Amino acid sequence: MPDLIIDSAPDEADAAAKSAKPSSARDHDRRHVLHPWSSHGMLEPVVVTGAEGAYFWDEDGRRWLDFSSQLVNVNVGHQHPKLIAAIKAQASKLCTIAPYHANEATSEAARLIAEAAPGNLNRVFFTNGGAEAIENAIRMARLHTGRHKILTAYRSYHGATAGAIAATGDPRRWPSEPGAPGFVKFWGPYPYRSAFHAGNATEECERALAHLASTIAMEGPHTIAAILLETVVGANGILVPPDGYLQGVRSLCDEHGIMMIADEVMCGFGRCGEWFAVDHWNVVPDLITFAKGVNSGYVPLGGVIMSDAISAGFATRAYPGGLTYSGHPLACAAAVACIGIYREENLIARARSLGDDVIAPALRTIQERHPCVGEVRGLGGFWAIELVRNRATREPLAPFNASGAAEAPMTEFAVACKRRGLWPFVASNRLHVVPPLTIDEEALREGLTIIDEALHVADRHCAG
Ligand SMILES: Cc1ncc(COP(=O)(O)O)c(C=O)c1O
């Protein structure tokens, strides 16, 4: 879909993203690689040759401050020496082994993840990434309840495999329809653009819960295996649920014997200033899906953390699912090292203070200075600036699912950031501020200043 993530989209005006030199990496890429969500005839990818900390650079020596953490996964920054050392050490010891064996790296990663997880979530099923985690969480919920339906929210992203894309509540799902059966959509809370005509966050919370309760009633509670939701919605807007919402979802699940699956693929592992975003509201789901930040993406890894009750169901009955690379030692060694880095460098608390002390105040100032900023919101290292044409009407700067000329104002803004040396995460009519959690304060402030400057480009499209 054209407008969801345009930070790597084709862009003829984007001189900053084009290389001056011919290179075999570029040529081979153009001829042989199909990049996700892209048309290969239009893409002009940056050929990245190196990275360190919060920066990466290309073959022409251009360097960008990474305010995207790539796809919001490089939480400990690029090329962290301890993470690299752990991968090298594991490679020398045991690169790979079938998942029916045990090994030190996988066992230790599972122990550490269970330790970080809330409540009685003590067992981990490893996958290669987020979408497979979703597939397996859905399977577990169905097996545990003996029910089929999965309720998911509009404005959500859960991955691009068959079940995960059917669960997804954004336009990326449309080309894969008709999809897997049994997925029912509901509206989650979004006070700035309330589906419930709510006037404030409290009202939004109450009405969103009432809507979910009636959706459950109309679908038949005894047919619903799980409610699957992103604890804090990521790619669809950094939508922080109002206090009370997740507790309310937990109660509805308890009332009807429905499993609560918290998708923490993007918002987990420190991104929201807690190990898992659910910790912010002291809610314990039945299943948590994770990926990305678990090892900062240095080696592909994801998984599902399950409650003792769900785990007990597979004590004597075989779990009917598997992957050749489940619990891959290299990926798990990277997870062990990454969790060690979160602890040693106090990154969970750091994410919180970067959010509270630096990002939030700077974004509020930016909001005051720029008529195109409709709302700023977020927590920890997970923020969005929502851009509008008109503050009074809240008309988005680019319409929902825009492409071509309609998304030009956002493309221009992204180019303005890149030209100033900042790599943005732009999605729809928003800029997401999601730097590595290790970014130093000076670089963070520098990036926020660049955003402030680049927003003048967006202000030109704004009526008030
Ligand atoms: C919340 C969420 N769930 C699932 C996924 C899918 O993860 P993956 O791309 O690793 O399959 C993503 C990816 O961005 C995500 O943000």
Side-chain angles (χ1 to χ4, degrees):
M1 291 290 109
D3 80 322
L4 281 161
I5 297 177
I6 62 166
D7 58 359
S8 59
D11 172 18
E12 300 210 342
D14 188 1
K18 284 188 177 155
S19 174
K21 329 187 238 216
S23 77
S24 57
R26 172 178 307 280
D27 291 347
H28 299 330
D29 181 280
R30 297 306 307 279
R31 229 166 268 154
H32 302 296
V33 180
L34 178 60
H35 291 260
W37 310 111
S38 303
S39 16
H40 61 76
M42 311 261 298
L43 197 67
E44 198 58 70
V46 170
V47 180
V48 175
T49 50
E52 193 182 336
Y55 294 90
F56 66 96
W57 50 88
D58 74 356
E59 54 188 356
D60 296 317
R62 278 181 306 234
R63 191 177 84 138
W64 289 276
L65 177 58
D66 188 353
F67 254 43
S68 67
S69 300
Q70 299 303 294
L71 290 174
V72 201
N73 56 304
V74 190
N75 287 5
V76 301
H78 295 276
Q79 299 295 107
H80 195 294
K82 286 193 176 160
L83 202 28
I84 293 170
I87 295 166
K88 283 184 178 168
Q90 185 63 39
S92 318
K93 200 156 119 193
L94 181 71
C95 267
T96 190
I97 199 76
Y100 50 77
H101 295 296
N103 76 87
E104 210 182 325
T106 309
S107 308
E108 181 61 0
R111 185 186 75 79
L112 291 170
I113 292 165
E115 196 172 274
N120 63 352
L121 276 69
N122 288 313
R123 190 174 296 276
V124 180
F125 179 82
F126 285 109
T127 64
N128 299 296
E132 289 174 351
I134 295 292
E135 300 291 346
N136 283 284
I138 289 172
R139 180 184 282 136
M140 287 172 193
R142 284 178 172 159
L143 289 166
H144 186 72
T145 58
R147 306 173 183 175
H148 185 71
K149 274 184 204 154
I150 307 292
L151 266 50
T152 66
Y154 286 115
R155 297 201 174 95
S156 67
Y157 181 69
H158 295 293
T161 54
I165 201 72
T168 287
D170 81 24
R172 281 173 282 190
R173 186 187 71 252
W174 302 345
S176 295
E177 288 177 327
F183 291 87
V184 175
K185 297 283 177 302
F186 64 92
W187 289 100
Y190 182 6
Y192 187 66
R193 296 189 187 281
S194 171
F196 312 107
H197 310 285
N200 56 52
T202 312
E203 229 170 61
E204 180 75 355
C205 181
E206 284 166 13
R207 293 181 187 187
L209 286 170
H211 159 72
L212 182 56
S214 58
T215 306
I216 292 170
M218 296 308 288
E219 288 296 330
H222 62 290
T223 70
I224 301 169
I227 296 174
L228 160 63
L229 78 180
E230 292 176 76
T231 309
V232 175
V233 173
N236 280 268
I238 319 279
L239 306 177
V240 184
D243 291 343
Y245 180 71
L246 293 167
Q247 292 92 326
V249 174
R250 178 70 270 181
S251 318
L252 285 168
C253 287
D254 289 342
E255 188 183 337
H256 298 295
I258 296 169
M259 297 296 100
M260 179 176 180
I261 307 175
D263 182 352
E264 298 242 357
V265 166
M266 191 180 271
C267 63
F269 282 99
R271 184 49 64 185
C272 294
E274 302 285 349
W275 279 103
F276 292 98
V278 283
D279 299 339
H280 196 78
W281 294 274
N282 293 316
V283 167
V284 182
D286 300 291
L287 296 145
I288 293 180
T289 54
F290 67 87
K292 299 186 188 263
V294 63
N295 64 7
S296 291
Y298 282 41
V299 186
L301 185 67
V304 186
I305 325 171
M306 69 201 83
S307 68
D308 289 342
I310 293 176
S311 159
F314 306 117
T316 54
R317 163 176 73 149
Y319 174 63
L323 299 152
T324 298
Y325 303 126
S326 180
H328 194 282
L330 276 186
C332 286
V336 171
C338 193
I339 292 169
I341 293 164
Y342 285 129
R343 286 178 170 174
E344 284 158 29
E345 299 184 16
N346 210 11
L347 291 182
I348 311 293
R350 185 159 200 275
R352 223 165 20 231
S353 66
L354 286 180
D356 291 348
D357 304 336
V358 184
I359 303 176
L363 294 190
R364 277 189 207 111
T365 307
I366 282 174
Q367 183 172 21
E368 279 161 24
R369 287 165 50 80
H370 295 277
C372 68
V373 175
E375 189 181 57
V376 297
R377 54 178 178 260
L379 76 175
F382 209 39
W383 289 82
I385 305 177
E386 176 147 355
L387 303 184
V388 293
R389 282 184 186 274
N390 184 319
R391 269 189 183 169
T393 64
R394 302 186 180 181
E395 181 191 351
L397 194 64
F400 182 68
N401 200 35
S403 61
E407 70 169 343
M410 291 306 297
T411 311
E412 278 171 32
F413 168 62
V415 170
C417 291
K418 289 180 194 171
R419 289 214 172 110
R420 289 167 173 80
L422 178 127
W423 197 268
F425 186 113
V426 176
S428 197
N429 66 320
R430 302 173 305 270
L431 171 73
H432 293 190
V433 176
V434 283
L437 307 177
T438 47
I439 190 170
D440 66 52
E441 211 176 299
E442 199 185 326
L444 180 57
R445 288 190 192 281
E446 195 183 302
L448 291 162
T449 303
I450 291 175
I451 291 169
D452 186 19
E453 287 167 18
L455 279 169
H456 290 295
V457 170
D459 282 336
R460 292 206 293 261
H461 298 275
C462 189

